[in-house]
Amino acid sequence: MNPRIPVRLAVLALAVAEGVLTMISEEDPYGVVPIAIAVLALPALERLPLPAFLATLPAVLAPGAIVPAIIGLYVVSSRSRDWWVLAGCGLLAAAGFVFPTADLAPSIWNSYTLLGVIYFTMTALAPILLGQFLRSRRELALRLEEVKEAREHERRLDAEAILAKERNQLAREMHDVVSHQVSLIAVQAAALQVSTADPDAKLAAANVRQLSVTTLDELRHMVNLLRASGTPATELTPQPTLTDLERLIAGSAIDAQLVSNVPEGLEPPVQRAIYRTVQEALTNVRKHAPGACAVVEISHDDTDLTVTVTNTRPTRPHLALPSARHGLVGLHERAALLNGKLHTGPTADGGFQLRLILPLTAHG
């Protein structure tokens, strides 16, 4: 409900009550017409403030009902900044207020007439000043809101500038440090591939070189993404999809099998989450379970899509590689963004299982 409606109804009721009491006290049967016109003009003040105010003046002159005129004068003042209009309306109202009492004095110098002029002038001035005060208050509130929005915009720009600086620094570090190390791995793997005569070593070196080249390519896209942050071209391209899963598994250097029953029409964020989950799971198998076999299974029912990566127990001792478990943390975050869940844990035969569950109802 509009909070102004009760106020308007109360003002209208006050004007009606004053009109009834004025008619009773004046005992003028013809006074009902100007009073009725004045009361009926009040609802039109919002749309036509000046004409509605002028319609209230006859009620002031004949029976002496001043409430509609005071209300009209206030509304005109709250809608206009033109002091000529406000002065004219104030003079008309003051003259209307004084006119019924003018016959009480034979001369304008009579003290009662002078006091009446002063009182009624102040009465006409009060709603004008009140309307201007409230208008200035509304304009000041709007200006303060604009200043607040401008300050918020500046704060956001400063934050974006700081973030862009940090992203550029991170991009430089990734390019200068990680790219250098991975490039050395790729070069040494290529040299080993050429120099060795062992077929298994040659194949392993080829896999290492291919993985290094793929990592460098993705790293280049990551650096471009960090540097382009805040511009329209911030999307990391090319984005992996489910069609790239077979190539991912084939290049993982793991005896892995893909069992896929993927529904059609999956959105790109879902496909990307599945790809990254399988990629991280196979990376963990290589790091922590050398010689293990893995099964990548993708299934779905009416409500959920399930991705399960299960590996057997390792057959060779694994190297103690540094790990902060950021990969699993990132997978949990990806799952949460899609309203899904990620479960990890050992299996009964000494292996390990990672399971991603995504709702199909929201992303299918």
Side-chain angles (χ1 to χ4, degrees):
M1 182 179 179
N2 191 336
R4 292 185 178 183
I5 293 179
V7 176
R8 294 173 181 173
L9 293 177
V11 169
L12 189 61
L14 178 62
V16 172
E18 189 220 15
V20 172
L21 294 176
T22 302
M23 290 175 57
I24 293 174
S25 61
E26 294 292 334
E27 297 181 355
D28 182 7
Y30 300 103
V32 67
V33 176
I35 290 178
I37 294 175
V39 172
L40 293 176
L42 293 181
L45 281 171
E46 294 290 333
R47 292 176 283 109
L48 302 170
L50 188 57
F53 163 71
L54 295 177
T56 64
L57 293 179
V60 178
L61 296 174
I66 66 172
V67 170
I70 292 176
I71 297 170
L73 197 57
Y74 159 76
V75 174
V76 171
S77 176
S78 65
R79 297 291 187 273
S80 175
R81 279 287 190 188
D82 191 340
W83 281 101
W84 290 105
V85 173
L86 297 180
C89 292
L91 290 176
L92 288 175
F97 297 156
V98 173
F99 180 79
T101 62
D103 59 343
L104 299 179
S107 173
I108 194 163
W109 301 107
N110 184 280
S111 61
Y112 291 105
T113 303
L114 291 176
L115 288 175
V117 170
I118 295 173
Y119 294 156
F120 289 128
T121 301
M122 296 301 295
T123 302
L125 186 61
I128 294 178
L129 295 179
L130 178 61
Q132 288 296 296
F133 169 74
L134 294 180
R135 178 185 175 89
S136 300
R137 183 182 178 185
R138 287 197 303 267
E139 292 178 351
L140 180 59
L142 292 176
R143 297 295 181 272
L144 290 176
E145 188 65 25
E146 291 175 358
V147 171
K148 181 180 178 181
E149 292 178 357
R151 293 185 62 182
E152 180 64 21
H153 180 66
E154 292 178 358
R155 186 196 64 79
R156 190 162 55 247
L157 290 179
D158 292 340
E160 290 176 357
I162 295 173
L163 182 60
K165 182 178 179 181
E166 293 177 351
R167 284 178 178 269
N168 287 334
Q169 181 180 359
L170 179 60
R172 289 195 301 270
E173 294 297 326
M174 290 179 62
H175 180 271
D176 296 341
V177 179
V178 182
S179 177
H180 174 71
Q181 301 295 339
V182 177
S183 297
L184 290 179
I185 294 174
V187 171
Q188 293 184 14
L192 178 62
Q193 182 181 2
V194 174
S195 62
T196 185
D198 187 353
D200 293 336
K202 187 182 291 290
L203 179 61
N207 287 333
V208 171
R209 181 177 180 278
Q210 181 59 42
L211 290 174
S212 301
V213 171
T214 303
T215 301
L216 283 174
D217 187 54
E218 293 189 357
L219 180 62
R220 176 173 59 84
H221 290 300
M222 288 289 293
V223 171
N224 290 337
L225 172 66
L226 289 173
R227 290 190 179 277
S229 177
T231 65
T234 56
E235 186 66 21
L236 183 60
T237 57
Q239 291 286 2
T241 62
L242 294 183
T243 58
D244 301 317
L245 275 181
E246 293 185 359
R247 180 176 58 84
L248 173 66
I249 294 175
S252 64
I254 299 174
D255 183 10
Q257 178 184 2
L258 175 63
V259 181
S260 178
N261 180 20
V262 181
E264 296 181 356
L266 289 180
E267 295 180 357
V270 179
Q271 297 191 41
R272 187 159 56 249
I274 295 174
Y275 182 92
R276 295 304 184 191
T277 299
V278 174
Q279 183 183 45
E280 178 65 22
L282 295 179
T283 300
N284 289 336
V285 172
R286 282 198 307 269
K287 290 170 58 177
H288 305 297
C293 300
V295 176
V296 179
E297 182 179 2
I298 304 176
S299 60
H300 70 92
D301 53 23
D302 294 336
T303 58
D304 296 324
L305 173 70
T306 304
V307 180
T308 306
V309 182
T310 307
N311 63 272
T312 60
R313 62 188 308 168
T315 59
R316 300 194 304 269
H318 69 278
L319 298 176
L321 298 175
S323 175
R325 300 181 66 86
H326 291 311
L328 290 179
V329 172
L331 293 184
H332 279 285
E333 292 174 350
R334 286 182 182 272
L337 289 174
L338 297 174
N339 298 322
K341 296 181 180 180
L342 185 76
H343 304 281
T344 58
T347 60
D349 59 355
F352 196 83
Q353 185 178 82
L354 182 148
R355 175 171 296 174
L356 171 68
I357 302 175
L358 298 175
L360 280 178
T361 53
H363 301 287

